[in-house]
């Protein structure tokens, strides 16, 4: 959030009441304040269970089933931040038009996402997995927790650029193998575009690639790395359903999926890759 010393909410032009010293200095207080902020946002319940599968003719290919993952998820809650190699909360200080300002942000790594087209099925490959922030953002104002299923999202195969010595394209190839189980030649992976991810508080780049797969390239069932806590379910989304799927606001999905599938639809209409 951009703010001056008076803690002005630049989005509304109104003065934000300063938190008490206890709320700023106490870790417990900061967690409580975060929970309170989350609870003030009105949220719509997402559709991500079997109803979406049926509505869009999603064909399940592999990976742990949603019902199995839900059964293994226990003791969901928000707790205090204790540091991480993946994200670092920070504040950027700057001067604009003579006014000293700050902007809170999260330092993180860049990432890759891959648009996968299954040539035999005439379908895009999408994945579904549990995302804790998506679940946590739907905690009600009264503290009531949503169903676990509300935390599942549809996405492209994707991953962080966190492997030293590997190019983004090489990381994309590894993610394809780990998440969806296809062994794709590096030379057959092409870059489509990139975009700025969550530019208001993250600002990292996500590079989007494209590759084609078929069952002759199947090397494993995919599903992600269970040792890293991944439980990724893999689906084939028929191209005839792709636009409706992208435009359905009730189906939770990543920005890269929206960008990537729209590109794939345009490319197929144009008769190219």
């Amino acid at each position: 959030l951009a703010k001056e010393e008076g803690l002005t909410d630049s989005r509304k032009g109104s003065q934000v009441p300063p938190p008490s010293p206890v709320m700023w200095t106490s870790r417990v207080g900061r967690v409580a304040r975060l929970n309170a902020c989350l609870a003030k946002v009105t949220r719509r319940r997402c559709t991500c269970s079997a109803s979406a599968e049926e509505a869009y003719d999603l064909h399940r290919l592999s990976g742990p089933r949603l019902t199995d993952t839900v059964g293994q998820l226990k003791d969901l809650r928000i707790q205090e931040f204790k540091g991480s190699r993946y994200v670092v909360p920070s504040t950027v200080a700057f001067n604009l038009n003579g006014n000293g300002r700050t902007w809170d942000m999260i330092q993180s790594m860049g990432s890759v996402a891959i648009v996968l087209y299954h040539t035999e099925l005439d379908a895009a490959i999408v994945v579904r997995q549990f995302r804790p922030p998506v679940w946590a953002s739907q905690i009600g104002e009264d503290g009531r927790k949503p169903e676990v299923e509300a935390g599942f999202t549809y996405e492209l195969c994707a991953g962080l650029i966190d492997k030293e010595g590997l190019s983004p394209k090489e990381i994309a190839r590894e993610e394809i193998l780990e998440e969806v189980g296809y062994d794709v030649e590096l030379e057959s992976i092409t870059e489509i575009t990139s975009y700025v991810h969550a530019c208001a508080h993250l600002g990292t780049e996500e590079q989007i690639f494209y590759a084609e797969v078929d069952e002759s390239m199947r090397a494993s069932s995919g599903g992600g790395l269970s040792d890293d806590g991944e439980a990724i379910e893999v689906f084939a989304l028929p191209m005839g359903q792709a636009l409706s799927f992208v435009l359905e606001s009730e189906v939770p999905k990543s920005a890269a999926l929206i960008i990537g599938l729209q590109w794939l639809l345009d490319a197929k209409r144009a008769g190219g890759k």
Side-chain angles (χ1 to χ4, degrees), residues 8-36:
T8 298
D9 187 333
S10 59
R11 295 169 297 178
K12 298 180 180 179
S14 59
Q15 203 74 8
V16 178
S20 68
V22 173
M23 290 296 281
W24 276 115
T25 57
S26 166
R27 288 185 176 181
V28 174
R30 287 197 297 269
V31 173
R33 185 169 181 266
L34 171 61
N35 289 338

Side-chain angles (χ1 to χ4, degrees), residues 14 24 28 51 53 55 59 62 67 76 131 139-140 147 156 167 260:
S14 59
W24 276 115
V28 174
S51 59
E53 296 176 44
H59 174 60
S62 61
T67 51
L76 287 163
R131 292 299 195 182
I139 295 175
E147 297 294 329
L156 297 180
S167 68

Side-chain angles (χ1 to χ4, degrees), residues 34-214:
L34 171 61
N35 289 338
C37 290
L38 289 172
K40 288 179 181 177
V41 181
T42 301
R43 300 172 182 88
R44 179 173 53 196
R45 189 182 182 90
C46 295
T47 300
C48 60
S49 58
S51 59
E53 296 176 44
E54 296 168 1
Y56 298 100
D57 298 327
L58 287 167
H59 174 60
R60 184 180 178 278
L61 296 177
S62 61
R65 294 182 181 275
L66 179 148
T67 51
D68 294 335
T69 303
V70 167
Q72 295 171 3
L73 282 164
K74 309 291 183 183
D75 195 25
L76 287 163
R77 66 197 186 282
I78 296 177
Q79 64 182 27
E80 66 176 88
F81 181 72
K82 297 180 180 179
S84 168
R85 66 179 289 256
Y86 297 104
V87 297
V88 179
S90 305
T91 298
V92 179
F94 59 100
N95 189 290
L96 179 63
N97 295 327
N99 295 317
R101 302 178 69 86
T102 60
W103 193 287
D104 298 333
M105 65 164 292
I106 300 171
Q107 296 184 60
S108 187
M109 307 171 187
S111 55
V112 299
I114 310 97
V115 179
L116 293 170
Y117 174 69
H118 198 297
T119 58
E120 296 170 335
L121 300 177
D122 187 28
I125 303 299
V126 299
V127 302
R128 181 172 65 185
Q129 59 185 310
F130 179 72
R131 292 299 195 182
V134 175
W135 175 85
S137 70
Q138 297 178 73
I139 295 175
E141 186 173 353
D142 59 358
R144 183 176 300 176
K145 296 179 180 179
E147 297 294 329
V148 175
E149 288 87 344
F152 284 79
T153 60
Y154 290 97
E155 307 171 19
L156 297 180
C157 170
L160 293 172
I161 301 177
D162 61 352
K163 300 179 177 69
E164 189 174 350
L166 295 183
S167 68
K169 182 185 287 191
E170 290 170 327
I171 291 175
R173 181 176 184 271
E174 284 197 356
E175 294 296 339
I176 297 170
L177 183 60
E178 292 173 4
E179 292 194 1
V180 300
Y182 295 103
D183 190 1
V184 179
E185 294 292 334
L186 186 65
E187 295 74 20
S188 67
I189 302 173
T190 57
E191 184 174 2
I192 299 172
T193 187
S194 65
Y195 72 100
V196 178
H197 185 64
C199 56
H201 64 268
L202 195 59
T204 56
E205 180 185 34
E206 180 153 82
Q207 299 178 53
I208 303 180
F209 294 88
Y210 172 76
E212 295 183 352
V213 298
D214 59 51

